[in-house]
Amino acid sequence: MMFDRSGRFERRAAAFTLVELLVVIGIIALLISILLPTLGRAREASHRAACLSNLRQLGIALQMYAGENKDYLPIGFMSEKQFSYVVNWNNSNGTRVSQMGYLVSGGIIKDGKCFYCPSEVDPMFMYDTPENVWPFDKTPPDPHLTTAGLGHTRFAFNARPVADWPTSAVPNRFFPLNMAKKSQLGNKALLADLIISKGDVIRRHKKGVNVLYGSWSGQWVPLSEFEKLPWNTIPAGDVSTIWNDVMLKETVDPPTGVWTDLDKVSH
């Protein structure tokens, strides 16, 4: 309290001291450090649920495709069993719709967004990025569907590598000779979050993958259920035929590979 020059009483506004200000800042920083991980986990839980919903939508589309095409499913791989995520094949040798892309070209899937996971941060596996152009349902037609050398279009999941789809080395043939039938696959894992390598799992959901099974049910599978040698030693970005048997080997009884590990945990 103070008096002005005329002797009247004057009250000064209270102010924070430097110490008080630092204490408030410290409390705010502490609250942020507590809340951010919680918010991050909530966001990932929401993304994981949306991812699983997308897989189930693809499951419905596969059922419809099988019903219209003598029980056949448009899933498989192209030479490398990790390379089971292509919907439009496009390199310098040619371009054409392949595998799960037939769900779109056949009019079963209208919205390409269900082919993608909201947790993905790699633009190579995100919806309609410069690195992964979504060429379908565009006017005029997108050149990725007609002009060779513009790059593949990938969807954000791996498909079970049960049939080797042809590349340009096999002219005038678009379907594999051993295209899979749903009745042959039973309740095996059909689609999953990327399992190209352990690094792809960690980048997306960190602790596991969503999987679509032949019962058309989707479920979460923890990484601990399939993190085994030699799959968990595959270097990030190494998509090669040398890993084909690591992904799935059906010439032995029982079959082996990371896909069979996913089969074992189906509900």
Side-chain angles (χ1 to χ4, degrees):
M1 294 183 296
M2 296 185 63
F3 292 91
D4 63 13
R5 292 183 180 180
S6 64
R8 290 178 299 185
F9 175 75
E10 182 181 67
R11 183 186 295 274
R12 281 192 174 176
F16 285 113
T17 66
L18 179 59
V19 172
E20 289 171 330
L21 185 60
L22 292 175
V23 168
V24 171
I25 293 173
I27 292 173
I28 293 173
L30 178 61
L31 290 173
I32 291 174
S33 67
I34 294 172
L35 290 174
L36 279 181
T38 302
L39 293 174
R41 288 191 294 269
R43 181 171 59 251
E44 169 53 23
S46 174
H47 284 175
R48 187 194 300 180
C51 173
L52 188 58
S53 176
N54 287 348
L55 273 176
R56 287 171 175 155
Q57 289 185 59
L58 294 178
I60 294 171
L62 285 173
Q63 290 182 69
M64 295 174 64
Y65 185 94
E68 296 172 2
N69 293 276
K70 301 180 180 180
D71 201 38
Y72 286 105
L73 295 178
I75 60 174
F77 65 101
M78 301 185 84
S79 298
E80 301 91 359
K81 289 188 177 179
Q82 296 155 296
F83 189 45
S84 63
Y85 47 76
V86 62
V87 290
N88 189 61
W89 184 85
N90 184 312
N91 66 13
S92 59
N93 295 320
T95 179
R96 63 169 171 267
V97 175
S98 183
Q99 301 168 76
M100 295 283 285
Y102 279 93
L103 300 179
V104 184
S105 62
I108 297 173
I109 289 285
K110 301 296 184 182
D111 185 355
K113 292 180 181 178
C114 70
F115 279 92
Y116 296 91
C117 171
S119 287
E120 184 58 74
V121 294
D122 184 346
M124 294 280 284
F125 294 96
M126 295 170 68
Y127 174 69
D128 205 18
T129 64
E131 296 85 353
N132 191 45
V133 173
W134 183 258
F136 303 101
D137 300 322
K138 292 184 176 179
T139 304
D142 191 287
H144 284 78
L145 296 176
T146 57
T147 305
L150 299 183
H152 305 305
T153 297
R154 308 155 192 84
F155 79 121
F157 303 102
N158 275 122
R160 190 181 189 90
V162 290
D164 192 353
W165 285 63
T167 63
S168 60
V170 185
N172 302 318
R173 183 162 68 84
F174 302 102
F175 294 94
L177 296 177
N178 58 337
M179 193 172 178
K181 283 191 171 185
K182 171 61 181 67
S183 56
Q184 298 170 325
L185 297 176
N187 193 37
K188 294 178 180 178
L190 302 180
L191 301 176
D193 276 304
L194 293 178
I195 51 172
I196 302 168
S197 68
K198 180 180 176 181
D200 296 285
V201 174
I202 294 174
R203 180 184 71 246
R204 184 175 293 183
H205 293 305
K206 299 178 176 59
K207 297 182 179 180
V209 293
N210 284 315
V211 181
L212 177 76
Y213 288 94
S215 63
W216 308 118
S217 64
Q219 74 179 64
W220 173 256
V221 177
L223 178 58
S224 58
E225 295 286 352
F226 59 94
E227 187 183 3
K228 300 176 182 178
L229 292 170
W231 173 80
N232 59 4
T233 65
I234 298 176
D238 186 357
V239 179
S240 170
T241 55
I242 65 173
W243 304 112
N244 276 6
D245 287 346
V246 176
M247 303 306 290
L248 182 64
K249 185 177 182 180
E250 296 186 293
T251 56
V252 295
D253 188 19
T256 60
V258 66
W259 281 96
T260 63
D261 292 331
L262 295 178
D263 294 341
K264 295 171 185 176
V265 294
S266 64
H267 292 165

